[in-house]
Short mmCIF file of all heavy atoms in Angstrom, two decimals:
data_model
loop_
_atom_site.label_atom_id
_atom_site.label_comp_id
_atom_site.label_asym_id
_atom_site.label_seq_id
_atom_site.Cartn_x
_atom_site.Cartn_y
_atom_site.Cartn_z
N LYS A 1 -2.27 15.49 -17.23
CA LYS A 1 -3.42 16.28 -17.63
C LYS A 1 -4.76 15.61 -17.34
O LYS A 1 -5.74 16.24 -17.08
CB LYS A 1 -3.31 16.63 -19.11
CG LYS A 1 -2.17 17.57 -19.45
CD LYS A 1 -2.16 17.87 -20.93
CE LYS A 1 -1.00 18.78 -21.34
NZ LYS A 1 -0.98 19.01 -22.79
N SER A 2 -4.80 14.30 -17.49
CA SER A 2 -6.06 13.59 -17.36
C SER A 2 -5.90 12.37 -16.46
O SER A 2 -4.78 11.88 -16.24
CB SER A 2 -6.58 13.11 -18.74
OG SER A 2 -5.73 12.13 -19.27
N ALA A 3 -7.05 11.83 -16.00
CA ALA A 3 -7.03 10.64 -15.19
C ALA A 3 -6.44 9.46 -15.97
O ALA A 3 -5.74 8.64 -15.44
CB ALA A 3 -8.42 10.33 -14.69
N THR A 4 -6.76 9.40 -17.27
CA THR A 4 -6.32 8.28 -18.08
C THR A 4 -4.80 8.32 -18.24
O THR A 4 -4.13 7.27 -18.29
CB THR A 4 -6.94 8.36 -19.47
OG1 THR A 4 -8.36 8.32 -19.33
CG2 THR A 4 -6.48 7.22 -20.39
N ALA A 5 -4.20 9.50 -18.29
CA ALA A 5 -2.76 9.64 -18.50
C ALA A 5 -1.95 9.50 -17.20
O ALA A 5 -0.73 9.33 -17.32
CB ALA A 5 -2.45 11.00 -19.14
N ALA A 6 -2.61 9.57 -16.07
CA ALA A 6 -1.86 9.49 -14.79
C ALA A 6 -1.17 8.10 -14.68
O ALA A 6 -1.71 7.08 -15.06
CB ALA A 6 -2.83 9.67 -13.63
N THR A 7 0.05 8.12 -14.16
CA THR A 7 0.85 6.89 -14.08
C THR A 7 0.19 5.85 -13.19
O THR A 7 -0.44 6.14 -12.19
CB THR A 7 2.26 7.21 -13.56
OG1 THR A 7 2.99 5.97 -13.60
CG2 THR A 7 2.26 7.75 -12.16
N ARG A 8 0.30 4.59 -13.60
CA ARG A 8 -0.14 3.44 -12.77
C ARG A 8 1.02 2.88 -11.99
O ARG A 8 0.85 1.88 -11.30
CB ARG A 8 -0.77 2.37 -13.66
CG ARG A 8 -2.30 2.49 -13.87
CD ARG A 8 -2.77 3.79 -14.40
NE ARG A 8 -4.21 3.79 -14.59
CZ ARG A 8 -4.89 4.87 -14.95
NH1 ARG A 8 -4.27 6.02 -15.12
NH2 ARG A 8 -6.19 4.82 -15.11
N ASP A 9 2.19 3.46 -12.08
CA ASP A 9 3.33 2.97 -11.35
C ASP A 9 3.22 3.33 -9.88
O ASP A 9 2.44 4.19 -9.50
CB ASP A 9 4.62 3.55 -11.93
CG ASP A 9 5.82 2.65 -11.79
OD1 ASP A 9 5.73 1.66 -11.01
OD2 ASP A 9 6.86 2.88 -12.43
N TYR A 10 3.97 2.64 -9.03
CA TYR A 10 3.94 2.93 -7.59
C TYR A 10 5.16 3.78 -7.20
O TYR A 10 6.19 3.74 -7.87
CB TYR A 10 3.85 1.65 -6.79
CG TYR A 10 4.98 0.66 -7.02
CD1 TYR A 10 6.19 0.76 -6.38
CD2 TYR A 10 4.75 -0.43 -7.86
CE1 TYR A 10 7.22 -0.18 -6.63
CE2 TYR A 10 5.78 -1.39 -8.08
CZ TYR A 10 6.98 -1.24 -7.47
OH TYR A 10 7.96 -2.14 -7.67
N VAL A 11 4.98 4.48 -6.10
CA VAL A 11 6.07 5.27 -5.53
C VAL A 11 6.16 4.97 -4.05
O VAL A 11 5.13 5.02 -3.33
CB VAL A 11 5.82 6.80 -5.77
CG1 VAL A 11 6.87 7.63 -5.03
CG2 VAL A 11 5.83 7.14 -7.25
N LEU A 12 7.37 4.64 -3.55
CA LEU A 12 7.57 4.39 -2.17
C LEU A 12 8.39 5.55 -1.58
O LEU A 12 9.50 5.79 -2.05
CB LEU A 12 8.32 3.06 -1.98
CG LEU A 12 7.66 1.81 -2.59
CD1 LEU A 12 8.58 0.61 -2.44
CD2 LEU A 12 6.29 1.57 -1.97
N SER A 13 7.83 6.21 -0.60
CA SER A 13 8.48 7.41 -0.02
C SER A 13 8.90 7.07 1.39
O SER A 13 8.03 6.79 2.24
CB SER A 13 7.51 8.57 -0.02
OG SER A 13 8.11 9.71 0.58
N LEU A 14 10.22 7.11 1.67
CA LEU A 14 10.73 6.72 3.00
C LEU A 14 11.10 7.98 3.79
O LEU A 14 11.93 8.74 3.34
CB LEU A 14 11.93 5.81 2.82
CG LEU A 14 12.61 5.30 4.10
CD1 LEU A 14 11.60 4.44 4.89
CD2 LEU A 14 13.87 4.52 3.79
N ASP A 15 10.53 8.14 4.94
CA ASP A 15 10.80 9.26 5.88
C ASP A 15 11.72 8.70 6.97
O ASP A 15 11.25 7.87 7.77
CB ASP A 15 9.48 9.82 6.42
CG ASP A 15 9.68 10.97 7.42
OD1 ASP A 15 10.83 11.20 7.83
OD2 ASP A 15 8.67 11.56 7.76
N ARG A 16 12.93 9.17 7.00
CA ARG A 16 13.91 8.67 8.00
C ARG A 16 14.04 9.60 9.20
O ARG A 16 14.99 9.46 9.98
CB ARG A 16 15.28 8.55 7.30
CG ARG A 16 15.35 7.56 6.13
CD ARG A 16 16.64 7.67 5.42
NE ARG A 16 16.79 6.71 4.34
CZ ARG A 16 17.48 5.58 4.48
NH1 ARG A 16 18.07 5.29 5.67
NH2 ARG A 16 17.59 4.74 3.48
N ASN A 17 13.18 10.50 9.36
CA ASN A 17 13.28 11.53 10.42
C ASN A 17 12.83 10.88 11.78
O ASN A 17 11.76 11.21 12.32
CB ASN A 17 12.42 12.75 10.11
CG ASN A 17 12.62 13.87 11.12
OD1 ASN A 17 13.67 13.93 11.77
ND2 ASN A 17 11.63 14.73 11.26
N GLY A 18 13.68 9.99 12.25
CA GLY A 18 13.32 9.21 13.42
C GLY A 18 13.01 7.79 13.03
O GLY A 18 13.51 7.32 12.00
N PRO A 19 12.23 7.04 13.80
CA PRO A 19 11.84 5.70 13.38
C PRO A 19 11.23 5.76 11.96
O PRO A 19 10.46 6.68 11.65
CB PRO A 19 10.79 5.27 14.40
CG PRO A 19 11.05 6.12 15.61
CD PRO A 19 11.58 7.42 15.06
N PRO A 20 11.59 4.86 11.11
CA PRO A 20 11.21 5.03 9.67
C PRO A 20 9.69 4.95 9.41
O PRO A 20 9.01 4.20 10.07
CB PRO A 20 11.94 3.87 8.98
CG PRO A 20 12.21 2.86 10.08
CD PRO A 20 12.41 3.66 11.29
N LEU A 21 9.27 5.74 8.44
CA LEU A 21 7.90 5.74 7.96
C LEU A 21 7.98 5.53 6.44
O LEU A 21 8.62 6.29 5.72
CB LEU A 21 7.22 7.07 8.25
CG LEU A 21 5.91 7.38 7.48
CD1 LEU A 21 4.83 6.38 7.86
CD2 LEU A 21 5.47 8.79 7.70
N LEU A 22 7.31 4.46 5.97
CA LEU A 22 7.26 4.22 4.52
C LEU A 22 5.84 4.45 4.04
O LEU A 22 4.91 3.77 4.49
CB LEU A 22 7.69 2.78 4.22
CG LEU A 22 7.76 2.41 2.73
CD1 LEU A 22 8.93 3.12 2.09
CD2 LEU A 22 7.88 0.91 2.57
N ASN A 23 5.69 5.44 3.16
CA ASN A 23 4.37 5.74 2.56
C ASN A 23 4.32 5.11 1.17
O ASN A 23 5.23 5.25 0.36
CB ASN A 23 4.18 7.26 2.45
CG ASN A 23 4.06 7.93 3.80
OD1 ASN A 23 3.30 7.49 4.63
ND2 ASN A 23 4.90 8.93 4.02
N VAL A 24 3.21 4.42 0.90
CA VAL A 24 3.02 3.68 -0.34
C VAL A 24 1.97 4.46 -1.19
O VAL A 24 0.83 4.54 -0.80
CB VAL A 24 2.56 2.23 -0.09
CG1 VAL A 24 2.35 1.52 -1.42
CG2 VAL A 24 3.52 1.51 0.80
N PHE A 25 2.42 4.94 -2.33
CA PHE A 25 1.56 5.68 -3.23
C PHE A 25 1.36 4.86 -4.53
O PHE A 25 2.30 4.40 -5.12
CB PHE A 25 2.17 7.04 -3.63
CG PHE A 25 2.33 7.98 -2.46
CD1 PHE A 25 3.52 7.97 -1.74
CD2 PHE A 25 1.32 8.82 -2.09
CE1 PHE A 25 3.68 8.87 -0.69
CE2 PHE A 25 1.48 9.70 -1.05
CZ PHE A 25 2.66 9.72 -0.30
N GLY A 26 0.07 4.72 -4.93
CA GLY A 26 -0.22 4.11 -6.23
C GLY A 26 -0.01 2.62 -6.25
O GLY A 26 -0.05 1.94 -5.20
N GLY A 27 0.21 2.14 -7.45
CA GLY A 27 0.44 0.69 -7.64
C GLY A 27 -0.67 0.02 -8.37
O GLY A 27 -1.82 0.51 -8.50
N LYS A 28 -0.39 -1.17 -8.97
CA LYS A 28 -1.33 -2.01 -9.71
C LYS A 28 -1.41 -3.34 -8.96
O LYS A 28 -0.46 -3.84 -8.40
CB LYS A 28 -0.81 -2.27 -11.11
CG LYS A 28 -1.01 -1.16 -12.10
CD LYS A 28 -0.17 -1.36 -13.36
CE LYS A 28 -0.29 -2.77 -13.95
NZ LYS A 28 -1.57 -3.04 -14.57
N ILE A 29 -2.57 -3.96 -9.04
CA ILE A 29 -2.76 -5.26 -8.36
C ILE A 29 -1.78 -6.29 -8.94
O ILE A 29 -1.29 -7.15 -8.20
CB ILE A 29 -4.22 -5.71 -8.47
CG1 ILE A 29 -4.49 -6.83 -7.49
CG2 ILE A 29 -4.58 -6.13 -9.94
CD1 ILE A 29 -5.95 -7.12 -7.28
N THR A 30 -1.45 -6.16 -10.21
CA THR A 30 -0.52 -7.11 -10.84
C THR A 30 0.84 -7.10 -10.24
O THR A 30 1.57 -8.10 -10.19
CB THR A 30 -0.42 -6.91 -12.37
OG1 THR A 30 -1.74 -6.75 -12.91
CG2 THR A 30 0.31 -8.01 -13.05
N THR A 31 1.26 -5.93 -9.81
CA THR A 31 2.67 -5.76 -9.32
C THR A 31 2.73 -5.68 -7.81
O THR A 31 3.74 -5.24 -7.24
CB THR A 31 3.30 -4.51 -9.94
OG1 THR A 31 2.46 -3.38 -9.71
CG2 THR A 31 3.52 -4.69 -11.44
N TYR A 32 1.69 -6.14 -7.11
CA TYR A 32 1.66 -6.01 -5.65
C TYR A 32 2.84 -6.73 -5.00
O TYR A 32 3.42 -6.24 -4.02
CB TYR A 32 0.34 -6.51 -5.10
CG TYR A 32 0.34 -8.01 -4.76
CD1 TYR A 32 0.71 -8.49 -3.51
CD2 TYR A 32 -0.01 -8.93 -5.77
CE1 TYR A 32 0.74 -9.83 -3.25
CE2 TYR A 32 0.04 -10.31 -5.49
CZ TYR A 32 0.42 -10.74 -4.25
OH TYR A 32 0.46 -12.07 -3.96
N ARG A 33 3.21 -7.92 -5.53
CA ARG A 33 4.29 -8.69 -4.93
C ARG A 33 5.61 -8.02 -5.10
O ARG A 33 6.46 -7.94 -4.19
CB ARG A 33 4.34 -10.12 -5.54
CG ARG A 33 5.18 -11.11 -4.79
CD ARG A 33 5.46 -12.37 -5.59
NE ARG A 33 6.25 -12.02 -6.80
CZ ARG A 33 7.57 -11.92 -6.82
NH1 ARG A 33 8.27 -12.10 -5.68
NH2 ARG A 33 8.17 -11.65 -7.93
N ARG A 34 5.84 -7.41 -6.29
CA ARG A 34 7.06 -6.64 -6.56
C ARG A 34 7.10 -5.42 -5.66
O ARG A 34 8.17 -5.04 -5.15
CB ARG A 34 7.14 -6.25 -8.02
CG ARG A 34 7.38 -7.40 -8.99
CD ARG A 34 8.83 -7.88 -8.90
NE ARG A 34 9.12 -8.76 -10.01
CZ ARG A 34 9.69 -8.38 -11.18
NH1 ARG A 34 9.99 -7.12 -11.36
NH2 ARG A 34 9.94 -9.28 -12.11
N LEU A 35 5.94 -4.77 -5.50
CA LEU A 35 5.86 -3.60 -4.64
C LEU A 35 6.28 -3.99 -3.22
O LEU A 35 7.05 -3.26 -2.56
CB LEU A 35 4.45 -3.02 -4.65
CG LEU A 35 4.21 -1.74 -3.85
CD1 LEU A 35 3.05 -0.95 -4.47
CD2 LEU A 35 3.85 -2.02 -2.37
N ALA A 36 5.78 -5.12 -2.74
CA ALA A 36 6.12 -5.58 -1.42
C ALA A 36 7.65 -5.82 -1.26
O ALA A 36 8.28 -5.45 -0.28
CB ALA A 36 5.36 -6.86 -1.06
N GLU A 37 8.26 -6.49 -2.30
CA GLU A 37 9.66 -6.70 -2.27
C GLU A 37 10.44 -5.36 -2.23
O GLU A 37 11.45 -5.22 -1.50
CB GLU A 37 10.10 -7.52 -3.47
CG GLU A 37 9.76 -8.97 -3.40
CD GLU A 37 10.38 -9.80 -4.53
OE1 GLU A 37 10.73 -9.17 -5.57
OE2 GLU A 37 10.50 -11.02 -4.39
N SER A 38 9.95 -4.41 -3.02
CA SER A 38 10.61 -3.09 -3.03
C SER A 38 10.48 -2.40 -1.67
O SER A 38 11.41 -1.73 -1.24
CB SER A 38 10.00 -2.22 -4.16
OG SER A 38 10.23 -2.77 -5.44
N ALA A 39 9.31 -2.55 -1.08
CA ALA A 39 9.12 -1.91 0.24
C ALA A 39 10.10 -2.54 1.26
O ALA A 39 10.71 -1.80 2.06
CB ALA A 39 7.67 -2.14 0.68
N LEU A 40 10.24 -3.84 1.27
CA LEU A 40 11.15 -4.46 2.21
C LEU A 40 12.61 -4.12 1.88
O LEU A 40 13.43 -4.02 2.80
CB LEU A 40 10.95 -5.96 2.18
CG LEU A 40 9.94 -6.55 3.20
CD1 LEU A 40 10.40 -6.28 4.62
CD2 LEU A 40 8.57 -5.96 3.00
N ALA A 41 12.92 -3.89 0.60
CA ALA A 41 14.27 -3.46 0.23
C ALA A 41 14.55 -2.06 0.83
O ALA A 41 15.68 -1.81 1.29
CB ALA A 41 14.43 -3.46 -1.26
N ARG A 42 13.54 -1.21 0.78
CA ARG A 42 13.73 0.17 1.35
C ARG A 42 13.91 0.09 2.87
O ARG A 42 14.64 0.91 3.45
CB ARG A 42 12.56 1.04 1.02
CG ARG A 42 12.32 1.29 -0.50
CD ARG A 42 13.46 2.06 -1.12
NE ARG A 42 13.70 3.36 -0.49
CZ ARG A 42 13.03 4.46 -0.82
NH1 ARG A 42 12.06 4.44 -1.73
NH2 ARG A 42 13.32 5.60 -0.21
N LEU A 43 13.26 -0.85 3.51
CA LEU A 43 13.34 -0.95 4.96
C LEU A 43 14.50 -1.84 5.42
O LEU A 43 14.78 -1.89 6.64
CB LEU A 43 12.03 -1.54 5.50
CG LEU A 43 10.80 -0.62 5.36
CD1 LEU A 43 9.52 -1.42 5.67
CD2 LEU A 43 10.90 0.60 6.25
N ALA A 44 15.17 -2.56 4.54
CA ALA A 44 16.19 -3.50 4.89
C ALA A 44 17.32 -2.91 5.76
O ALA A 44 17.77 -3.60 6.70
CB ALA A 44 16.81 -4.13 3.62
N PRO A 45 17.78 -1.69 5.54
CA PRO A 45 18.85 -1.15 6.38
C PRO A 45 18.46 -1.08 7.85
O PRO A 45 19.36 -1.10 8.72
CB PRO A 45 19.09 0.23 5.80
CG PRO A 45 18.64 0.16 4.40
CD PRO A 45 17.46 -0.76 4.42
N PHE A 46 17.19 -1.00 8.17
CA PHE A 46 16.75 -0.91 9.57
C PHE A 46 16.58 -2.29 10.18
O PHE A 46 16.45 -2.40 11.43
CB PHE A 46 15.42 -0.16 9.64
CG PHE A 46 15.50 1.22 9.02
CD1 PHE A 46 15.06 1.44 7.71
CD2 PHE A 46 15.98 2.30 9.72
CE1 PHE A 46 15.14 2.69 7.12
CE2 PHE A 46 16.04 3.56 9.14
CZ PHE A 46 15.62 3.75 7.82
N PHE A 47 16.59 -3.33 9.38
CA PHE A 47 16.39 -4.68 9.87
C PHE A 47 17.41 -5.62 9.27
O PHE A 47 17.09 -6.50 8.40
CB PHE A 47 14.97 -5.16 9.57
CG PHE A 47 13.86 -4.29 10.16
CD1 PHE A 47 13.19 -3.41 9.33
CD2 PHE A 47 13.59 -4.34 11.50
CE1 PHE A 47 12.24 -2.57 9.84
CE2 PHE A 47 12.61 -3.52 12.02
CZ PHE A 47 11.92 -2.62 11.20
#
C-alpha cells in the first residue's frame, strides 16, 4: 500500500528462453554479497 511497507528483499528472475537472462530486482546494500551468491547459484547450471 505504501512506499514504507514495500519489501526491501531482492528478487532474482531468470529467463531461460535462449541464452540466460538474469534480472535483479530490489535488494539492500547490506545483503549485496548474499545477492551476488544467489545470482551465481541461479546461473550455476549454465557454467
Side-chain angles (χ1 to χ4, degrees):
K1 293 180 181 178
S2 68
T4 302
T7 182
R8 267 57 178 173
D9 210 346
Y10 56 82
V11 173
L12 303 176
S13 177
L14 182 63
D15 179 350
R16 299 170 175 263
N17 187 24
L21 164 66
L22 184 70
N23 294 307
V24 180
F25 296 92
K28 283 165 46 71
I29 195 166
T30 311
T31 53
Y32 88 90
R33 193 193 65 83
R34 290 287 192 94
L35 183 152
E37 284 189 341
S38 297
L40 269 297
R42 298 295 301 276
L43 293 169
F46 304 96
F47 302 103

